[in-house]
Amino acid sequence: FGAANEVARDHDQDAWVAVDVPVQALRVGTLLVACVPAEVTTAAGARLVRWIKATAAEAAGNGTDDWEVIVTGLANGYAGYVTTPEEYAAQRYEGASTLYGRNTLGAYAECLCELTRELTANDSVANDSTRTRSGSGRIAPDSAADHPRTDRAPWDGIQARVPPVDLR
């Protein structure tokens, strides 16, 4: 990752730029949240959303575009900016602050799409017609929310205090 890390390594110092960065993908129903430890430009974020949606639809095998995607930055760390190759080439503020070079967006996309595949492969929730959504905003009929645990006091844990809702 560039001369700065080589200089730090040669002088037995910590690297100036992180070599490994945390990337995370979360799923709630058909909502996917992509968490990156960087500031993502609008154009780069739009591409990530498009690629993650396409990956989810393909991996789930349902071919629909029902997935909602949120890309959240500055999650679990800081690794500069994520720009498109075109923004990087322009070397304006964001491009010049992209620590890992012109292919940073592609690296994040590759990682996030792989995580998305794992989260959505052969999706049973999106394809299972027995798990329909009711008009009350509750998941019906065989959801865990319809069968709350009775072995805990009502004040024990957030599930006992928060009514089930449709998070889609």
Side-chain angles (χ1 to χ4, degrees):
F1 283 93
N5 282 340
E6 292 170 15
V7 170
R9 186 180 55 239
D10 292 344
H11 295 288
D12 202 24
Q13 297 174 344
D14 290 334
W16 297 350
V17 176
V19 176
D20 297 313
V21 297
V23 175
Q24 184 178 34
L26 309 169
R27 177 182 174 188
V28 179
T30 57
L31 170 67
L32 297 166
V33 182
C35 307
V36 296
E39 296 182 59
V40 182
T41 64
T42 302
R47 289 183 190 181
L48 280 174
V49 166
R50 188 174 68 241
W51 294 333
I52 292 169
K53 273 187 175 186
T55 300
E58 179 184 322
N62 58 11
T64 66
D65 197 26
D66 291 340
W67 298 96
E68 292 296 324
V69 177
I70 297 172
V71 176
T72 182
L74 303 175
N76 305 315
Y78 184 75
Y81 280 82
V82 177
T83 60
T84 65
E86 297 84 6
E87 290 171 323
Y88 182 79
Q91 283 295 294
R92 294 191 179 97
Y93 182 81
E94 293 87 355
S97 299
T98 300
L99 302 177
Y100 300 109
R102 105 180 237 101
N103 296 318
T104 300
L105 175 59
Y108 278 110
E110 184 177 324
C111 186
L112 289 167
C113 286
E114 180 59 33
L115 290 171
T116 299
R117 272 186 215 91
E118 292 177 19
L119 288 173
T120 60
N122 300 318
D123 183 42
S124 61
V125 174
N127 292 329
D128 187 356
S129 62
T130 64
R131 293 187 56 131
T132 59
R133 305 277 179 191
S134 70
S136 67
R138 294 185 56 157
I139 300 173
D142 293 324
S143 140
D146 289 332
H147 306 287
R149 291 181 60 179
T150 57
D151 61 335
R152 295 190 289 187
W155 58 86
D156 184 22
I158 195 166
Q159 183 176 356
R161 295 188 309 256
V162 178
V165 296
D166 183 355
L167 296 175
R168 191 165 47 149

